Amino acid sequence: MASQPMLLITIDGPAGAGKTTVSKMLARELGYRYLDTGALYRAVAVGARAAGIQPDDDRGLGELCKTLRLSIEGDRLVLNGVDITHRIRSPEISMLASAVSARPVVRQALLGFQREMGRTGGLVAEGRDMGTVVFPEADFKFFLDATVRQRALRRLAQYDKGEGPTLEQIEQDIRRRDQNDSSRDIAPLRPADDAVTIDSTTMTARQVVRSMMARVRRMIDPA
Ligand code: DC
């Protein structure tokens, strides 16, 4: 049997659309690696916060990016030898990541790392600009969307009952991040012209993955 092609698949979309769950499931199903590029921007935010660098201080961010040693070890994200996997998920780091990700100096610094990960294919990469900027030549591009309310409900479900922010706070956060991410000058959040958009508002993660797999399979085995 001929060996199957190792495709490069991108999944872009706004915060809370289910990209992470779906990307991991799709990667597992295909036996591919998975790259969460939001985590890289979050790592820069953690580094900036620790060093007291403001998100609009391009010179400081540029220096910071030169000294960042980032590695992905299985499910763990390691920054300069320290495991920051859990630290990157706080609401404060989410907002800060959105702010630093609007700075060209940061995007440029992370570009090489991301492209290197995609070089050999066999990768599902999730983010905001995977299909438009980082991997314009990707074999398959998806754009995953859902209503703000549905995305906020999914985030809320990740907290223990009675803990964490309210639904209204989460919605407000999501709107602000959507606004930041789609209105910035560089690599704004938008579907690539050749992306397939999937609205996951009324779909389960499994249904989304099934729909993606059906399309990907057609490419792997068109017969
Ligand atoms: O996907 P996420 O919520 O973990 O991403 C955190 C922030 O990083 C998000 O607000 C926008 C930014 N980001 C980006 O600009 N480009 C990417 N490819 C991924 C994330």
Side-chain angles (χ1 to χ4, degrees):
M1 202 177 86
S3 65
Q4 291 195 339
M6 293 296 273
L7 304 178
L8 176 52
I9 300 174
T10 61
I11 303 185
D12 289 307
K19 297 188 300 294
T20 302
T21 309
V22 160
S23 303
K24 281 184 178 170
M25 286 167 72
L26 187 65
R28 199 175 317 126
E29 199 131 334
L30 288 161
Y32 287 2
R33 290 164 301 134
Y34 156 70
L35 174 64
D36 172 5
T37 59
L40 306 180
Y41 290 96
R42 288 170 181 271
V44 173
V46 167
R49 190 175 176 282
I53 297 167
Q54 295 304 310
D56 58 355
D57 174 2
D58 284 336
R59 193 201 286 231
L61 288 171
E63 288 302 314
L64 174 75
C65 286
K66 278 189 210 148
T67 61
L68 285 185
R69 279 182 299 112
L70 262 179
S71 59
I72 298 170
E73 298 168 12
D75 272 352
R76 322 249 113 225
L77 182 65
V78 179
L79 174 66
N80 299 337
V82 180
D83 184 338
I84 58 164
T85 314
H86 297 295
R87 212 182 303 168
I88 60 171
R89 297 292 159 198
S90 74
E92 185 199 353
I93 292 299
S94 299
M95 286 315 295
L96 199 52
S98 182
V100 298
S101 72
R103 314 308 294 188
V105 65
V106 174
R107 303 202 75 82
Q108 192 56 38
L110 294 180
L111 198 56
F113 184 88
Q114 297 173 78
R115 289 203 171 138
E116 183 55 32
M117 292 278 297
R119 205 169 45 82
T120 53
L123 182 76
V124 177
E126 76 150 284
R128 302 293 189 288
D129 62 340
M130 297 297 95
T132 50
V133 176
V134 179
F135 300 119
E137 77 298 348
D139 298 295
F140 229 104
K141 301 178 184 178
F142 292 104
F143 191 86
L144 195 57
D145 211 349
T147 60
V148 172
R149 172 52 63 101
Q150 186 58 36
R151 292 190 274 139
L153 283 168
R154 288 177 188 158
R155 273 282 140 86
L156 187 69
Q158 291 169 353
Y159 292 98
D160 289 333
K161 229 185 160 65
E163 283 184 19
T166 64
L167 182 63
E168 287 67 32
Q169 283 165 341
I170 298 176
E171 271 197 27
Q172 209 178 10
D173 250 36
I174 285 182
R175 281 185 210 283
R176 263 174 60 202
R177 282 219 284 150
D178 281 0
Q179 171 66 20
N180 283 353
D181 297 345
S182 32
S183 65
R184 67 184 176 215
D185 291 337
I186 178 166
L189 169 67
R190 67 166 182 83
D193 292 338
D194 50 350
V196 172
T197 295
I198 298 180
D199 183 335
S200 73
T201 304
T202 61
M203 294 168 87
T204 63
R206 179 116 306 279
Q207 286 171 327
V208 173
V209 173
R210 216 175 290 143
S211 141
M212 289 176 167
M213 277 301 290
R215 292 167 191 275
V216 172
R217 258 198 214 105
R218 254 179 266 145
M219 181 176 269
I220 291 178
D221 182 12

